[in-house]
Amino acid sequence: MSFTKRYVSGLNPSSAKGLHLGNYLGAVKQHVEFQDQGEGFFFIANLHALNSIFDRATFDTNTHNTYLDFLALGLDPAKCTFYIESDIPAIPYLQTILNNCVTVGEMKRMHAYKDKLQGDTDPDTINMGLFNYPILMAADILVFNPDSVPVGKDQQQHVEICREMAKTFNNRYGKTFKEPEAYIKKEAAAVLGTDGERKMSKTLGNDITIFADEKVIYKQVMGTITDRNRIHPTDPGDPAKNVLFSYMRFLNFDAAKLADYEAKYRAGTIGDVQIKKDFYEHFLNYFAAQRQKRAELVANPDYVTKVRAEAAAQANAIANQMLERVKLAVGIKSA
Ligand code: ADP
Ligand code: TRP
């Protein structure tokens, strides 16, 4: 009998801008590859977004738009189960149970919480949704009992605490959950932003958004900070300090042409503007089919509604089974 690996991964739809290059290289691209390798459960983590979006229209639009972004980028409903977290009631139910498998001390060590504490934020003002989010994330994962959780490096700690919760649960109630492993793709663990310094992130405004209007993308690319020591196009530059070269590599820019550009950059015989313009063209070409697909999805709302409903039905069938096992294990249901 062959063994098929099961994968679970989600993306928080907290941005109205849509997915950026870092999301694509660090997360979505792998999801799209994983759907061919095993049994993929991918979702829009909209319950997570409730800790940062307090406006109903924004919440709804972001959830829907991110769902479309993913479909356009190649998640195929025929190959994987691609659903929206809030369509799966077993997730928050399981979270309530998992609340008891982790301590306040362990939770305080989580990034999501610690990041918020930077600066002079008073810990007492952090909302419980944010504080608890690793528990919701553990419920997202364990309700499908996967083998592996493909995520960016920043999420590794959250997957580890999920394993700990699974272990605690299993020790208490008998083996129920697998202890899933994080899968971190090394090369694209952290894509730098257009400031050339920090991780690309929608909140830092150093991102290149995949489905934005061409004018917006042009502005983002042209605003990229390259080698700061280079004032004139004739100054020798350091290709390692021009983040566009790394984007080109990630997006399969012609290798010979890239090597030539890098040599010219070192010699000071090519300008940054030229490189930016070439990268902009390449970016639009690379994502042309996906941008076209997204426009088609927008034009076919009935199709999207149907895909979403079918995925929810598939996911609920599995999640509810798991929840039944959990209820039996803890005694909510009698055998
Ligand atoms: P953001 O940092 O823009 O708020 P999210 O936290 O919503 O993005 O990240 C969603 C997914 O994309 C996660 O799996 C995360 O690890 C991945 N990701 C986000 N930014 C990057 C990046 N710059 N490089 C690699 N992966 C990233
Ligand atoms: N917390 C993840 C992020 O911010 C998104 C997420 C929510 C997730 N639930 C998950 C990822 C379950 C993997 C598995 O990117």
Side-chain angles (χ1 to χ4, degrees):
M1 202 174 76
S2 72
F3 171 69
T4 313
K5 260 197 174 186
R6 182 178 284 184
Y7 301 95
V8 172
S9 194
L11 194 121
N12 189 331
S14 51
S15 166
K17 291 199 285 185
L19 295 180
H20 59 66
L21 187 60
N23 296 141
Y24 177 70
L25 294 170
V28 187
K29 194 160 174 262
Q30 294 162 62
H31 296 179
V32 173
E33 288 163 9
F34 274 117
Q35 69 184 350
D36 290 318
Q37 289 171 22
E39 201 186 352
F41 286 81
F42 301 116
F43 66 98
I44 302 302
N46 62 341
L47 295 177
H48 286 256
L50 285 172
N51 73 38
S52 60
I53 305 175
F54 307 128
D55 171 73
R56 73 177 306 285
T58 311
F59 181 82
D60 183 47
T61 311
N62 288 10
T63 302
H64 185 70
N65 283 350
T66 314
Y67 194 66
L68 294 191
D69 283 3
F70 264 87
L71 287 176
L73 286 173
L75 276 192
D76 180 349
K79 291 184 178 171
C80 69
T81 308
F82 177 44
Y83 51 96
I84 293 183
E85 187 186 26
S86 60
D87 288 342
I88 317 300
I91 292 173
Y93 195 125
L94 180 59
Q95 183 191 7
T96 298
I97 295 170
L98 292 175
N99 281 338
N100 307 292
C101 296
V102 61
T103 65
V104 172
E106 287 166 317
M107 292 298 294
K108 281 187 175 162
R109 288 196 285 273
M110 292 295 107
H111 296 302
Y113 171 73
K114 285 203 310 207
D115 288 354
K116 260 280 169 208
L117 278 184
Q118 281 172 6
D120 49 12
T121 308
D122 175 353
D124 286 351
T125 63
I126 287 176
N127 86 47
M128 284 304 294
L130 179 88
F131 185 70
N132 278 341
Y133 119 87
I135 313 180
L136 177 56
M137 182 160 162
D140 291 330
I141 296 170
L142 296 178
V143 84
F144 292 103
N145 211 19
D147 303 283
S148 177
V149 184
V151 280
K153 182 126 189 65
D154 59 334
Q155 295 299 314
Q156 188 168 14
Q157 191 191 37
H158 297 145
V159 180
E160 269 153 27
I161 202 162
C162 165
R163 282 167 67 88
E164 290 304 313
M165 284 184 235
K167 218 179 270 176
T168 302
F169 185 99
N170 289 343
N171 285 341
R172 243 177 233 170
Y173 300 111
K175 172 108 178 102
T176 307
F177 298 116
K178 289 183 191 167
E179 291 162 25
E181 306 215 346
Y183 175 91
I184 317 282
K185 195 169 173 180
K186 294 284 181 297
E187 313 93 84
V191 177
L192 284 182
T194 54
D195 55 1
E197 282 176 357
R198 295 168 300 174
K199 193 188 130 202
M200 185 178 287
S201 167
K202 61 201 165 216
T203 41
L204 295 173
N206 61 356
D207 51 340
I208 303 183
T209 31
I210 297 169
F211 297 107
D213 198 73
E214 291 183 9
K215 286 199 203 83
V216 173
I217 297 175
Y218 187 77
K219 237 178 121 181
Q220 291 170 330
V221 173
M222 296 312 280
T224 302
I225 299 187
T226 53
D227 185 347
R228 288 172 194 272
N229 298 324
R230 202 173 186 235
I231 317 286
H232 308 291
T234 48
D235 293 344
D238 178 359
K241 291 189 179 146
N242 185 338
V243 70
L244 291 175
F245 287 127
S246 66
Y247 299 162
M248 286 172 164
R249 213 163 284 121
F250 285 138
L251 298 183
N252 308 333
F253 192 82
D254 181 76
K257 203 166 160 194
L258 181 59
D260 178 49
Y261 274 15
E262 289 183 326
K264 286 184 171 145
Y265 201 72
R266 275 190 208 97
T269 54
I270 189 169
D272 279 286
V273 172
Q274 168 80 47
I275 294 165
K276 287 177 179 176
K277 284 190 171 154
D278 266 32
F279 174 70
Y280 166 74
E281 290 298 327
H282 182 70
F283 186 91
L284 286 186
N285 280 334
Y286 187 92
F287 289 110
Q290 290 92 330
R291 287 171 59 89
Q292 161 83 24
K293 170 102 190 277
R294 191 163 189 308
E296 285 165 17
L297 291 169
V298 170
N300 286 295
D302 291 350
Y303 168 77
V304 178
T305 306
K306 185 169 148 269
V307 166
R308 176 174 172 173
E310 284 174 2
Q314 267 174 37
N316 274 319
I318 292 171
N320 289 338
Q321 253 180 22
M322 193 66 206
L323 187 62
E324 287 306 296
R325 279 180 61 190
V326 170
K327 285 180 175 173
L328 266 172
V330 301
I332 291 172
K333 239 186 120 160
S334 43

